[in-house]
Amino acid sequence: NSQQSPVHFDLVLIPSLLVLHPSALPILFQEEVLNKEATEGEAVTLHCKLSKSAPVEWRKGNKVLKPSEKYKIEQEGPFAELMIRDLDLADA
């Protein structure tokens, strides 16, 4: 008749490990598009830099700008650039 002491178990809750993959991180502007002044008839270039490479869509109001004689659009990694040629008042 040996007496045994009670055994106690402690319950330990371990929060699950959250692993962030680079693709899950938000894309932020590292350099935002700045206002520029230019002369009618000339060209102006706007650019921005993102925190990582991602597709950039340039818009004027609700209209998505596409490459054309008027608009030159380039992107290399996180750097995006829009050139507007032959400026007129409607481009403001």
Side-chain angles (χ1 to χ4, degrees):
N1 248 8
S2 65
Q3 283 190 325
Q4 294 182 352
S5 20
V7 177
H8 295 283
F9 293 94
D10 292 324
L11 178 62
V12 178
L13 295 176
I14 301 172
S16 51
L17 180 62
L18 176 62
V19 178
L20 290 178
H21 297 282
S23 61
L25 297 175
I27 300 167
L28 306 171
F29 281 107
Q30 285 193 332
E31 290 178 23
E32 294 194 29
V33 177
L34 300 175
N35 288 333
K36 297 244 179 143
E37 288 188 22
T39 305
E40 209 170 337
E42 293 185 353
V44 68
T45 301
L46 305 172
H47 67 274
C48 66
K49 180 182 177 188
L50 305 175
S51 55
K52 64 179 180 176
S53 182
V56 170
E57 188 174 77
W58 293 92
R59 293 176 176 251
K60 182 175 188 324
N62 292 328
K63 179 185 173 193
V64 176
L65 304 180
K66 301 287 183 190
S68 64
E69 290 296 316
K70 179 82 171 168
Y71 304 112
K72 179 181 176 186
I73 298 172
E74 293 186 343
Q75 184 170 358
E76 187 173 324
F79 299 95
E81 187 174 272
L82 167 68
M83 176 188 283
I84 306 172
R85 300 176 178 113
D86 191 24
L87 289 167
D88 59 41
L89 289 176
D91 295 315

